[in-house]
Amino acid sequence: FDIIDLLFGEKYWGSTLYFRIICVLNLFNVVVFSPLLLSLGQSRFYALMQIFGACLVWSGQYILINYTSGPEYLVIWSTFVKITLVIVGFMKVAHLLKMDWKNLLPYGEVGRLSLCILSVVVVTMAVEKLLNHYGMSQGILLNGIIFFLLTYFAGKIFRIDFYDVIRPLIKKNPNY
């Protein structure tokens, strides 16, 4: 069973590998640098960075299509270029703010959060392999329950209160 089957149907099951590779990019998209660059008057730099990134993706994919046999290399290359652009943008913001790039992010917190999430994902994937004989809906339900339980207990172990993160989403707004 797989979430791709549930969301898109059996026809897109082959895209599961690509979906997982692209999900790595989301770990880096947490660093939102584009509004900072634009507000610091760096729209030209941002535009040139995006154009350069697009040219890198296109030219790299052209080379990969001609010299490799697997389409997964295209997704890996695209993800690598996008991650590189995030890092370059982040470094530019640090330079503009006259800060050391190491001081822009709370690395201790990010490390603890990453370890917590990584441990939950690894255990969830292992359980998914064990529960593979269940039907799709049962497997997704069981996997979801296990994921949320693991997230709760891992959060306690790593001293991360995930409820604080979602509390603003749950609280009702008195203005509505």
Side-chain angles (χ1 to χ4, degrees), residues 7-161:
L7 294 176
F8 304 110
E10 193 175 303
K11 182 178 177 182
Y12 289 94
W13 189 82
S15 301
T16 303
L17 172 66
Y18 311 116
F19 175 73
R20 288 184 177 163
I21 293 170
I22 281 291
C23 280
V24 172
L25 180 61
N26 291 333
L27 298 173
F28 290 86
N29 280 340
V30 172
V31 180
V32 181
F33 64 90
S34 54
L36 285 171
L37 282 175
L38 296 175
S39 67
L40 291 168
Q42 296 295 312
S43 57
R44 179 179 164 91
F45 173 81
Y46 180 72
L48 289 174
M49 188 176 72
Q50 295 303 316
I51 291 168
F52 180 73
C55 291
L56 262 179
V57 169
W58 291 337
S59 59
Q61 287 183 347
Y62 175 77
I63 292 168
L64 289 170
I65 287 169
N66 289 318
Y67 297 107
T68 62
S69 60
E72 62 274 0
Y73 296 114
L74 303 175
V75 179
I76 292 170
W77 174 251
S78 174
T79 303
F80 172 75
V81 170
K82 289 176 183 175
I83 289 171
T84 303
L85 291 177
V86 168
I87 292 170
V88 167
F90 182 72
M91 300 290 269
K92 180 70 172 178
V93 167
H95 173 73
L96 290 170
L97 295 176
K98 296 176 179 51
M99 294 180 69
D100 186 20
W101 63 271
K102 297 172 195 165
N103 295 331
L104 277 180
L105 284 178
Y107 290 100
E109 293 296 317
V110 171
R112 270 197 0 225
L113 185 61
S114 298
L115 278 174
C116 178
I117 291 172
L118 181 65
S119 64
V120 168
V121 168
V122 167
V123 172
T124 303
M125 288 174 67
V127 170
E128 179 182 340
K129 297 289 183 202
L130 294 173
L131 298 177
N132 205 18
H133 62 278
Y134 285 98
M136 183 173 57
S137 58
Q138 293 169 329
I140 289 175
L141 179 65
L142 283 170
N143 212 4
I145 291 170
I146 291 168
F147 178 80
F148 285 110
L149 287 173
L150 282 172
T151 302
Y152 175 77
F153 289 115
K156 295 289 185 194
I157 292 169
F158 289 99
R159 296 184 314 264
I160 299 170
D161 189 2

